[in-house]
Amino acid sequence: MDRTERRAHAWKRRSRALGAGVALAAFVWGAHGQPEVAGQGPTATGGPVPTNVSVPQARLDAAGNDGTNFLLSNGNYAQTRYYPAEQINTTNVARLRPAFVFQTEVVESMETAPIVVDGVMYITTSYNHLYALDAATGTEFWHYKHKQGPVTTFCCGPNNRGVAVMNDRVFMATLDAKLMAFDAKTGKVLWSTQIADPEAGYSETMAPVAVDGKVLIGTNGGEYGIRGFLKAYNANDGKELWTFYTIPERGHEGVWAVNDATGRDMHRDINAEKKALAERGGDFYKTLGGGVWMAPAVDRETRTIFLVAGNPSPDLYGAERPGDNLYTNSMIALDLDTGAYKWHYQYIAHDVWDLDAASPVILTEAAGKDGRMRKVAIHGGKTGHVYVHDRATGELIRYSEAMIPQENMWVLPTKEGARMLPGANGGVEWSPMAINPQLRLAYAANLHQPMTYQVEEAKYPGGSKLWLGGAFKVIPSEKQAGRLVAVNIDTGKIAWKFDTDQPLIGGVLATAGGLVFNGEGNGLFRAFDAKTGDKLWEFQCGAGVNAPAVSYMVNGKQYVAVAAGGNTQIDFKRGNSVMVFSLP
């Protein structure tokens, strides 16, 4: 075990102790001054990729119909996670077996979605290791270890969810709040830009999105009192092009919404909030949260970006932040070229349950209220609903039946702890959904974790200290579980569901072979019939499968790849492998 691994293990042990002792199921936080990963600095080891890597804009635009590669972390700009190849299908998936296993040198939570370009796979690990592999054999070409800065601050594990590719470059964001560009062939660092201050609570775990010469990146930090944003950088030199803050300087009090998106009373004391805002002013926008956890969707036709913003800060103590806390817990549409606001839709105003919006937006079509097909943007919420919006206006067309139990909503947190379902992890956490456009189904991985919500007074402690204003506590006597659910996006009705022993976190892949792939924290990776939900295949990967799967072809053979590294947030068994499967 080298120095890096010893440090990682020490951090992991400390995290688990906190998770068990405090029963803080939602958050396991990074130490302040988190130990940096020892490495060789800005140079990759190994040899160059033996072929040229080239992903021009035209290839990225066509990614949704590319049955050979997997070019974006969620498959395409619409983020459908629908892979259009059918060599592996419902009739033969039972014969799927491992083609190879690639083990990284980091035994820690893995949430990466591999990117595959012409037989070359790019994967990331916790602490920002980046590998380039042969996607058919697992042979390593090059390996970059990021040397973290002196301070990193993060709430839910030292994760990384993947890279973006464009032209001959690979882009990765880091825990110490940098955006980096690499030569895709050699791993050489081409530029590195500090995008926010880690000592103020900012960090990056999401996969960037590369489009039109720009690299789009959001920020974590809603548990540390940041001011959330989505930024665009010039892909050539790393210079900032525009910033959209998810917290406006003025008007964040919104419309004083009484009900949530489903029409239920959230039991706010509006008069008290208005009085507090009048007395103290709205300067707290600087620490109001609204992190952007996952990659945005892009509609190139209308040049619009669609993202969701996370919870307000502090999570549970709402007295510090009167008003609706716009644009937290919202789907937001922006102009791709300027970052200008187009519209937003807030699901939960003045959230005090951390039931924020994290799972990435999917762009597709669905029946409108009049039955006619409309272009829509959909989101799977921690509330356990799938929300369907008109893509042009943000109008909520429908929300699905509840995918998981809901009880006692929206009881206010108390000092003693108030029980409410779902717990603070959801519903659908950051896990990306998938759709099958032919079947009209969206597939969502859900957690069922009964929790109590406790609130306590908490002033802003400074950016590098966790700022929850209370705690979410799992209820040990109540069963935790998971549920993979298929929702008809034209009706909102649940088509099928599959219950699992472990809460599901990691994401879903659908394919033209009529399959849905999803993993569980106990190491089981499964394939389901996309139409019926029948389990058709499973494999024990040896560590938690808490990352979204991808698929690709090399030399006419289809592969399915998924990371099995466990999960820090729920404390699933750690590992360090990317499992790759194919037919014999």
Side-chain angles (χ1 to χ4, degrees):
M1 182 181 298
D2 66 18
R3 181 175 171 226
T4 300
E5 289 172 317
R6 284 198 300 273
R7 286 181 169 180
H9 278 254
W11 182 86
K12 182 169 64 177
R13 287 195 296 272
R14 187 162 62 248
S15 299
R16 284 175 171 170
L18 288 167
V22 184
L24 187 64
F27 297 105
V28 180
W29 55 89
H32 315 305
Q34 201 275 327
E36 66 184 38
V37 174
Q40 69 274 26
T43 305
T45 56
V49 172
T51 59
N52 290 324
V53 178
S54 177
V55 189
Q57 185 60 51
R59 290 188 70 183
L60 292 170
D61 288 338
N65 296 316
D66 187 340
T68 301
N69 304 289
F70 205 93
L71 298 179
L72 292 97
S73 62
N74 290 314
N76 46 65
Y77 286 132
Q79 306 203 116
T80 59
R81 299 196 63 76
Y82 178 76
Y83 185 68
E86 54 187 12
Q87 186 181 91
I88 300 171
N89 55 55
T90 55
T91 67
N92 59 27
V93 70
R95 295 190 288 121
L96 208 61
R97 52 92 172 119
F100 67 86
V101 179
F102 179 80
Q103 291 185 300
T104 76
E105 70 174 54
V106 182
V107 182
E108 185 47 277
S109 183
M110 292 185 77
E111 299 182 353
T112 187
I115 297 292
V116 180
V117 183
D118 299 332
V120 180
M121 177 186 291
Y122 296 95
I123 62 167
T124 59
T125 73
S126 283
Y127 301 108
N128 297 112
H129 287 225
L130 170 59
Y131 292 87
L133 317 176
D134 185 314
T137 66
T139 301
E140 179 179 318
F141 296 131
W142 55 259
H143 172 200
Y144 170 82
K145 303 179 185 181
H146 182 60
K147 183 176 176 62
Q148 304 284 354
V151 173
T152 54
T153 309
F154 49 88
C155 79
C156 307
N159 300 298
N160 184 273
R161 301 194 178 100
V163 299
V165 294
M166 187 164 58
N167 296 323
D168 58 355
R169 297 184 173 193
V170 177
F171 304 92
M172 178 176 71
T174 66
L175 282 178
D176 56 353
K178 293 177 181 174
L179 180 63
M180 306 182 71
F182 300 84
D183 184 307
K185 187 177 179 70
T186 66
K188 178 184 177 183
V189 176
L190 301 176
W191 54 257
S192 175
T193 298
Q194 189 75 48
I195 63 176
D197 182 1
E199 291 196 63
Y202 294 87
S203 64
E204 316 301 325
T205 57
M206 66 178 275
V209 173
V211 56
D212 271 356
K214 306 177 183 65
V215 185
L216 308 176
I217 187 71
T219 186
N220 304 342
E223 282 61 53
Y224 297 89
I226 55 99
R227 184 187 184 195
F229 59 72
L230 184 78
K231 290 176 180 281
Y233 289 87
N234 187 314
N236 288 325
D237 56 18
K239 293 183 178 177
E240 183 176 330
L241 299 174
W242 54 254
T243 296
F244 173 82
Y245 287 106
T246 58
I247 307 295
E249 183 174 346
R250 299 180 184 279
H252 50 73
E253 66 273 20
V255 297
W256 304 99
V258 173
N259 298 325
D260 74 347
T262 67
R264 286 173 286 195
D265 191 332
M266 295 181 290
H267 306 121
R268 293 173 64 182
D269 188 340
I270 299 291
N271 288 333
E273 289 185 42
K274 287 183 175 179
K275 182 173 183 291
L277 184 64
E279 291 175 350
R280 305 205 310 259
D283 205 39
F284 56 87
Y285 76 90
K286 299 172 184 173
T287 58
L288 190 47
V292 178
W293 289 92
M294 295 297 290
V298 180
D299 183 342
R300 289 259 293 155
E301 182 180 354
T302 62
R303 304 198 68 75
T304 305
I305 300 167
F306 301 84
L307 64 146
V308 285
N311 56 279
S313 305
D315 298 52
L316 293 115
Y317 185 53
E320 280 293 297
R321 45 177 173 79
D324 292 353
N325 306 151
L326 295 177
Y327 303 106
T328 63
N329 295 32
S330 299
M331 183 184 290
I332 306 166
L334 306 178
D335 184 282
L336 170 62
D337 298 306
T338 65
Y341 167 93
K342 288 192 172 183
W343 57 256
H344 81 278
Y345 187 95
Q346 189 175 42
Y347 300 106
I348 305 166
H350 194 75
D351 176 24
V352 290
W353 305 272
D354 195 38
L355 289 180
D356 58 332
S359 180
V361 176
I362 293 177
L363 305 181
T364 183
E365 294 186 344
K369 293 178 181 176
D370 58 1
R372 301 172 65 177
M373 296 303 289
R374 294 164 71 173
K375 291 184 177 181
V376 298
I378 69 174
H379 164 64
K382 281 186 172 181
T383 53
H385 296 291
V386 174
Y387 302 94
V388 179
H389 299 265
D390 183 283
R391 204 187 301 180
T393 66
E395 173 196 2
L396 181 63
I397 297 172
R398 68 179 56 84
Y399 58 89
S400 74
E401 296 176 311
M403 295 182 285
I404 54 166
Q406 297 177 334
E407 296 180 22
N408 212 21
M409 295 177 78
W410 299 95
V411 64
L412 295 174
T414 65
K415 289 184 178 179
E416 296 75 24
R419 178 181 180 275
M420 187 182 88
L421 304 181
N425 288 328
V428 185
E429 242 280 3
W430 58 267
S431 312
M433 300 193 300
I435 63 169
N436 183 312
Q438 284 72 45
L439 297 176
R440 318 297 307 143
L441 296 178
Y443 306 98
N446 286 266
L447 302 95
H448 170 63
Q449 290 185 298
M451 289 188 185
T452 58
Y453 292 77
Q454 289 182 293
V455 64
E456 61 184 21
E457 183 176 340
K459 298 294 182 184
Y460 177 59
S464 60
K465 295 180 181 177
L466 195 71
W467 189 31
L468 298 181
F472 326 105
K473 295 185 178 181
V474 295
I475 303 173
S477 61
E478 297 194 37
K479 182 180 179 181
Q480 301 183 44
R483 180 172 290 170
L484 181 65
V485 180
V487 170
N488 185 309
I489 58 176
D490 294 328
T491 66
K493 302 293 185 184
I494 292 175
W496 57 259
K497 59 186 178 183
F498 181 88
D499 288 339
T500 60
D501 291 336
Q502 308 285 335
L504 293 178
I505 187 167
V508 189
L509 173 72
T511 74
L515 297 170
V516 171
F517 291 91
N518 176 244
E520 194 174 352
N522 56 14
L524 289 171
F525 182 50
R526 299 187 177 98
F528 301 88
D529 186 309
K531 186 174 183 179
T532 66
D534 292 340
K535 185 181 71 174
L536 302 178
W537 170 85
E538 69 179 14
F539 185 87
Q540 174 54 253
C541 294
V545 181
N546 304 118
V550 307
S551 190
Y552 58 93
M553 304 273 283
V554 180
N555 297 325
K557 180 185 280 286
Q558 185 180 356
Y559 298 84
V560 176
V562 70
N567 180 269
T568 303
Q569 187 172 343
I570 316 293
D571 200 19
F572 289 133
K573 182 181 177 182
R574 309 303 199 276
N576 65 340
S577 300
V578 174
M579 307 289 300
V580 180
F581 301 90
S582 66
L583 296 171

